[in-house]
Amino acid sequence: MFRTALRNVFAHKARLLMTVLAVMLGVAFVSGTLVFTNTISDAYQKSSAKGFDRVDVAVRPEYQDSEGDKVGRTAELTRALLDKAAHVPGAASATGVVSGFTAVADKDGKLLGGDWQSAGGNYWGAKDPRYPLVAGHAPHGRGEVLLDSRTAERAGYRVGDTVRLSVDGPVLTPTVAGIFTTDDGNVAAGGSLALFDTPTAQALFGKKGSYDEIDVRAAAGTAQSALKAELDKALPSRLVETTTGKHLADEQARAISASMSGLRQALLVFAGIALFVGTFIIANTFTMLVAQRTRELALMRAVGASRRQVTRSVLIEAFAVGAVAGVTGLAAGIGIGAGLRGLLGSFGASVPDGPLVVTPGTVAAALAVGVLITMLAAWLPGRRAAKIPPVAAMSSVHAKATTKSLVLRNTLGALFSAAGVAVVLAGTTMNADSGQGAMGLGAVLLIVGVFILTPLLSRPLIAAASPLLRVFGVSGKLARQNSVRNPRRTAATASALMIGLTLITGMTVMAGSLQTSIDKMASAAIRADYVVSMANRGPLSPDVADRLATAKGVTASSPLRNGESRIDGGTEFLTGVDGSAIGKLTDLKVRDGSFTVGGSRVVVDEDRAKEYGWTAGSRFTAHFEDGKAARLTVAGVYEGNEMLNGIILDNKVLTPHLTDPSDMQVMVKTAGGASGAAKDRLVEALGTNPAIKIQDKQDISNEIAKMFTLMLNMVYGLLGMAVIVAVLGVINTLAMSVFERSQEIGMLRAIGLDRKAVKRMVRLESLVISLFGGVLGIGLGVFFGWAAGELLGTKMATYELVLPWGRMAVFLLLAGTVGVLAALWPARRAARLNMLAAIKTE
C-alpha cells in the first residue's frame, strides 16, 4: 500500500502541484511570521539588555494610594535618597535618572524621531558611563545639549551647531555640545535622544530637584540580590521599590515579547485564513483524485485491501504532498522573514542589528502545519473512498450523495446559520466590551453554516445568472450546467473566495463608517477652528495657551487642563477650561440645564451625572491634590463623546490647586475661520515648534483616516495571500473538471463546438463560480460590518452605517477577474484536447 501510494503521487504530479502551492503559501506565511517576529524580538531584547549592563539595582518611586479625601500621588526620589543609596554597604555608585519627551527638529524644522520615540534625559556629571561621548563635551546649563550619533547623522548636526527642540511647548535653541552613542532600543528603532545636564533636565521635565529613577552600581564582589537587600533596609519601603538589573532586563524582554506577540498573533490569524482556504483546495483535489481512481481502489478492495488500508494509502499521498509543501514553505518563509525585516527600513524604521533567527520551533511548526493540514483535509475523501463497495465501484456505479446525506447536510447548515445569526444579533444588544466574545462566536457559526449550505445555495444563485449566460449561446448554457453539476465541488471552490471577501468587506464597512462618525463628532462637538496639542499627545506648557491667546487673528481660545480630585470617596479627573470662551469653542448637546462654566458652576457629562445621581442644580464637594476642597454646582448635563467628556470647570477654580499645571490641548477660534494664513500665524506665534501639532477639523479627520487607511491596506495585503490561494483553488478545480470531462468535451468538439466556444465555456464556468463566491462574501461582510458597528455604537453616539458601494463593486469585479484569470490555463488545455483521444478516454 505504501508503494502504491507513492506511485500515485508520482503519477499525478501535475494535479497535485496546485495543492502543494496552496499549502506552501500558507506554511510560508506561518514560518515567515515566526522568523520575522523572533528576529525583531531577539534584536530588541539583546539591545535593551545592554542598557541594563550598568544597572545592578534600580530604585523607583512608589505610588501613594489616595486615602479618604486625599488625592494619590507618586513619591519623590530626592537628592537625600540618592546620597543614602550611594552609601549603603556594597554600593559603588548611584546615578539619578531624569527622562521625558523631547522633540528635536532637523535643519528644515521637521520633527526627528517620530511622535512617540523622541526622548530626552540627563547626562550625569562630567563623564556619564551610560552614554560614551564620541565628540564634544558634557552639557552645561540650558544653552547646551547632547544628541545621539544616529540622530546627529540623520539630521547632519555637528558639535557647535544650534538645534531647535521642545520639551512641553516653548522652543529651545541650545548648542550641540557633544555627540554620544547609546544602546537605547528606541534610538535603534529610529527614535531620537537628547541629553541635558541634570539640573536643566529636572527643570525642563518638571522634577524640581528629584529623579525618575536611581540606578545603583554594585561594588566588586557584591551580588545584585545582596545590594537590593541592603537598599531595602536603608530606604523607606513605603516610598520606593527596588528591582535588580537582571529582573529589569527579564521584565523588558517579557515586555518586548508581549508587544511582538500581538503582531505575531495578527499575522498568524491571516496565515490561518490562508491555510483554511487552502483546505478547500486540498479536499477538492483528493476528492477528485479518489473519484478518478474508483475502479483502481475497488480492485484493491477486491484482492484483499481493507478499508483502513485504502484510507491509509490516501493519507500517505497527503503526507508526501504536505511534507514537500512544508519544506518548500519553510524555505520561502525564511525569505519572507528576511524580506519583512528589510521592508521596515524602506518605511523609515530601523531595527537593532542581529542575526536572522530560525528556531527549532519554527521548523517544527512549518513541517507540522504543512503535513497536518494536508492530511486532515485528505482524510474525509480517503474515508469516503474506503466506503465504496468493490462491486459497485468496478461496475462504474459511482457513489453519489444520497438524499439522506443531503438532507442531513442542509439541516446542519441551517442550524449553524440560524445559531450564528441569533448569537450575532444578541451580541449587538450588548455593550462593546461584553459583546465581542458573542460576536466572534456568532461569526464563526454563521460562516460554518453558510459553508455547509453553499451547495444548496449554488443552484438558485447560479440560476439567477442564466439570462446573462444565454447571451453566449451554447457555451453559456453549458457553463451554467457545468457549474451546478457538482454542487459540493462548486461550493468548496467558491467558499475559498467567500472567506477572503467576507473579511475584506467587513473591515471596509467598519472603517468607512467609523471615519464618517468621527467626522460628524468633530464637526458637531467643536466650533473651534484649530486644536493645538503636543506631537506625542503629552502635556503642554501653560505658556502655549498664553501665546495663542494673544496671537494675531485669535478671537477666542481655551486650554483644556487636567486635574485629579476625590469626589464621594472616588477618584475623578477634572477638565479645566476658560469659562468665558468655552461656549464659543464647543457645541455639545445639553440634556439638562445650561452649558455655563464659571465660578462654582460646572457642567458634567451624562455618564457622571448618572453615576452620582446629579441633575442641574445638584451640589457636590471636590477635594483637590493640594488637600483643599471646593463646593461646586452642576449648571448643566451634556452629551459627552470621545473628544470631550467628564466634569468641566473654570481654570480659575482648578489651577490654584495644581502643583504643576499643564494642558492637554488648546482650542482656538480665529477671525475668518480656518485658513492657510491663519494657521501660519499660529505656527509663527509658537516659534515654528517641531513638537506641536496645529490641526483643524479636517486635519484631525485626515489623521484618523490615515490610521484606518494604513490598517486597511495592511489587511488587504495580508488577505491577498488568501485570494492567491483561492485563485489556485479555482485553477485546480477547473483543471480537474476538464480532465474529468475529457470524453464529454471530445464529443462536443466532434458535433461542432469549436475551440473558441470550448474556451468560452470553461471561462464562463469559472466566472460564474467566482462571482457566486464574491456575492456570498460581500453579503456576509456587510452583515458582519453592520453588527460590529452596532457594537461600536454603544461607545460612539455619532456612529452610523455607511456602505462603500464603490468599493464593494470593485470587490465583485475582483472576484470576476479572479475567475477569468484562473480559467486561462484550463480553458486552453480543454480547447487543445484531441477529439478522438478524448472520446476514447474512460
Side-chain angles (χ1 to χ4, degrees):
M1 295 302 294
F2 181 76
R3 288 196 300 271
T4 301
L6 291 182
R7 178 184 61 77
N8 285 323
V9 170
F10 288 110
H12 303 112
K13 294 189 291 292
R15 299 181 210 173
L16 292 171
L17 178 61
M18 295 299 175
T19 300
V20 171
L21 286 174
V23 180
M24 185 199 76
L25 285 173
V27 172
F29 208 158
V30 170
S31 53
T33 294
L34 295 175
V35 169
F36 171 67
T37 52
N38 287 340
T39 297
I40 300 300
S41 180
D42 181 73
Y44 275 117
Q45 285 179 20
K46 288 179 178 177
S47 177
S48 65
K50 292 179 183 177
F52 296 110
D53 286 347
R54 297 185 175 277
V55 180
D56 290 311
V57 179
V59 181
R60 293 173 172 175
E62 191 74 77
Y63 182 77
Q64 309 298 301
D65 292 327
S66 52
E67 298 178 2
D69 293 324
K70 292 182 180 180
V71 175
R73 62 174 60 201
T74 303
E76 291 186 346
L77 298 181
T78 62
R79 180 74 197 197
L81 283 174
L82 185 143
D83 291 338
K84 185 178 288 188
H87 291 92
V88 300
S93 63
T95 302
V97 178
V98 184
S99 60
F101 174 75
T102 302
V104 180
D106 62 17
K107 292 186 176 181
D108 295 324
K110 295 180 180 178
L111 179 65
L112 286 167
D115 298 351
W116 304 96
Q117 294 175 315
S118 301
N122 68 313
Y123 189 83
W124 189 255
K127 192 173 182 181
D128 192 331
R130 300 173 300 168
Y131 307 110
L133 289 173
V134 293
H137 58 79
H140 299 287
R142 295 176 70 95
E144 292 186 341
V145 68
L146 301 182
L147 293 180
D148 70 88
S149 56
R150 295 190 187 214
T151 299
E153 183 179 354
R154 285 204 315 270
Y157 284 123
R158 297 183 180 182
V159 174
D161 289 347
T162 299
V163 60
R164 296 173 61 80
L165 54 84
S166 177
V167 170
D168 61 356
V171 174
L172 305 175
T173 54
T175 300
V176 178
I179 295 172
F180 63 93
T181 58
T182 177
D183 294 319
D184 189 291
N186 281 333
V187 173
S192 65
L193 181 60
L195 301 178
F196 309 90
D197 66 9
T198 299
T200 301
Q202 288 174 325
L204 290 175
F205 301 131
K207 301 305 175 185
K208 297 182 179 178
S210 64
Y211 308 95
D212 293 304
E213 180 177 304
I214 297 173
D215 293 340
V216 185
R217 288 280 288 165
T222 303
Q224 290 185 352
S225 57
L227 177 59
K228 180 182 183 301
E230 292 295 338
L231 287 167
D232 288 339
K233 292 179 187 175
L235 303 179
S237 59
R238 64 184 182 83
L239 295 179
V240 301
E241 62 173 356
T242 58
T243 312
T244 63
K246 183 181 183 306
H247 182 78
L248 286 174
D250 293 341
E251 194 177 67
Q252 182 77 2
R254 283 192 295 270
I256 292 171
S257 180
S259 66
M260 294 304 297
S261 70
L263 175 62
R264 183 185 295 116
Q265 289 172 7
L267 292 174
L268 287 176
V269 164
F270 290 104
I273 292 168
L275 285 168
F276 182 62
V277 171
T279 58
F280 298 132
I281 301 173
I282 302 166
N284 254 358
T285 301
F286 278 93
T287 297
M288 287 182 278
L289 285 175
V290 167
Q292 291 162 16
R293 289 162 44 209
T294 303
R295 286 192 177 185
E296 175 190 328
L297 295 174
L299 182 60
M300 291 170 62
R301 290 289 312 282
V303 297
S306 65
R307 287 186 176 184
R308 286 186 179 181
Q309 286 178 313
V310 171
T311 303
R312 197 179 303 137
S313 71
V314 175
L315 291 179
I316 290 171
E317 291 181 50
F319 176 84
V321 171
V324 172
V327 172
T328 54
L330 174 62
I334 293 172
I336 289 173
L340 286 174
R341 177 174 174 171
L343 194 62
L344 286 179
S346 66
F347 287 128
S350 56
V351 179
D353 295 331
L356 201 64
V357 178
V358 183
T359 64
T362 299
V363 176
L367 296 177
V369 166
V371 171
L372 288 177
I373 290 293
T374 309
M375 292 183 71
L376 284 173
W379 174 76
L380 191 58
R383 189 167 173 270
R384 283 178 185 161
K387 284 185 175 182
I388 300 174
V391 175
M394 293 177 72
S395 303
S396 298
V397 181
H398 297 284
K400 296 182 180 179
T402 63
T403 303
K404 181 180 177 181
S405 70
L406 290 174
V407 170
L408 179 62
R409 180 184 181 116
N410 294 337
T411 302
L412 280 175
L415 289 174
F416 270 99
S417 299
V421 171
V423 174
V424 168
L425 291 177
T428 61
T429 63
M430 303 177 186
N431 61 47
D433 296 322
S434 61
Q436 292 179 12
M439 193 75 72
L441 174 63
V444 171
L445 290 174
L446 181 54
I447 287 176
V448 171
V450 171
F451 169 64
I452 296 173
L453 284 175
T454 306
L456 178 66
L457 297 172
S458 64
R459 289 185 179 275
L461 288 178
I462 291 175
S466 295
L468 293 175
L469 293 175
R470 287 198 190 104
V471 176
F472 298 95
V474 175
S475 296
K477 183 178 180 180
L478 290 171
R480 185 186 66 79
Q481 291 175 346
N482 291 334
S483 300
V484 296
R485 176 182 295 183
N486 191 332
R488 288 186 175 180
R489 185 194 302 166
T490 297
T493 306
S495 296
L497 271 177
M498 180 190 77
I499 300 295
L501 286 178
T502 295
L503 295 169
I504 290 173
T505 304
M507 292 295 296
T508 303
V509 169
M510 283 183 59
S513 300
L514 279 170
Q515 182 59 52
T516 301
S517 304
I518 289 165
D519 289 346
K520 282 180 61 179
M521 185 192 302
S523 60
I526 300 176
R527 288 180 181 172
D529 296 316
Y530 295 99
V531 174
V532 180
S533 62
M534 289 293 289
N536 70 332
R537 300 298 180 190
L540 276 166
S541 167
D543 177 67
V544 173
D546 295 339
R547 290 194 180 193
L548 290 170
T550 57
K552 184 180 179 182
V554 173
T555 58
S557 68
S558 172
L560 271 60
R561 188 165 296 168
N562 282 356
E564 192 177 351
S565 71
R566 296 280 290 177
I567 298 174
D568 292 347
T571 300
E572 284 289 347
F573 284 92
L574 309 174
T575 300
V577 299
D578 185 331
S580 62
I582 193 65
K584 303 173 186 176
L585 301 167
T586 59
D587 190 19
L588 298 166
K589 292 181 181 178
V590 179
R591 300 300 186 188
D592 184 23
S594 62
F595 198 87
T596 306
V597 178
S600 63
R601 291 172 298 177
V602 305
V603 292
V604 301
D605 66 356
E606 291 176 305
D607 291 341
R608 303 305 187 287
K610 184 178 180 180
E611 181 182 351
Y612 291 104
W614 293 336
T615 59
S618 297
R619 303 192 71 196
F620 64 93
T621 301
H623 298 267
F624 300 100
E625 64 179 56
D626 63 352
K628 297 180 181 179
R631 192 74 174 160
L632 303 174
T633 303
V634 177
V637 178
Y638 67 94
E639 183 182 296
N641 55 51
E642 284 71 17
M643 304 189 77
L644 199 60
N645 55 50
I647 302 171
I648 300 176
L649 73 165
D650 198 301
N651 272 325
K652 292 177 182 176
V653 177
L654 177 63
T655 303
H657 300 289
L658 301 180
T659 305
D660 186 21
S662 61
D663 304 323
M664 294 311 296
Q665 55 185 220
V666 181
M667 291 184 173
V668 179
K669 194 168 185 63
T670 58
S675 66
K679 187 173 183 177
D680 289 342
R681 285 195 294 269
L682 296 181
V683 170
E684 186 178 346
L686 296 176
T688 315
N689 197 318
I692 292 180
K693 287 183 177 180
I694 301 174
Q695 298 175 298
D696 59 19
K697 295 176 188 179
Q698 191 59 50
D699 291 332
I700 295 172
S701 178
N702 290 343
E703 184 176 57
I704 298 170
K706 193 175 179 181
M707 291 192 311
F708 285 133
T709 301
L710 179 62
M711 178 184 67
L712 273 181
N713 288 339
M714 287 178 62
V715 170
Y716 291 161
L718 293 170
L719 288 177
M721 182 72 73
V723 174
I724 292 172
V725 174
V727 171
L728 293 175
V730 178
I731 295 173
N732 205 25
T733 298
L734 292 173
M736 293 287 189
S737 179
V738 167
F739 177 83
E740 205 173 60
R741 303 199 316 261
S742 295
Q743 191 177 54
E744 175 189 324
I745 293 171
M747 290 294 295
L748 289 171
R749 290 289 314 284
I751 62 176
L753 196 69
D754 60 17
R755 289 185 174 182
K756 286 185 178 179
V758 171
K759 285 184 180 180
R760 191 181 307 120
M761 176 188 70
V762 176
R763 288 170 184 165
L764 288 173
E765 179 184 349
S766 176
L767 181 63
V768 167
I769 293 173
S770 298
L771 288 177
F772 169 53
V775 169
L776 286 180
I778 291 172
L780 284 174
V782 169
F783 176 70
F784 290 139
W786 166 80
E790 290 295 302
L791 208 60
L792 287 170
T794 61
K795 283 194 171 185
M796 185 178 290
T798 56
Y799 184 88
E800 66 171 290
L801 179 67
V802 177
L803 294 181
W805 295 105
R807 290 204 176 191
M808 288 194 294
V810 170
F811 296 156
L812 194 59
L813 181 63
L814 174 65
T817 304
V818 165
V820 172
L821 294 176
L824 292 177
W825 179 67
R828 185 169 179 269
R829 186 171 181 271
R832 296 182 67 182
L833 283 175
N834 183 283
M835 281 186 287
L836 295 178
I839 291 171
K840 289 190 293 182
T841 301
E842 294 187 7

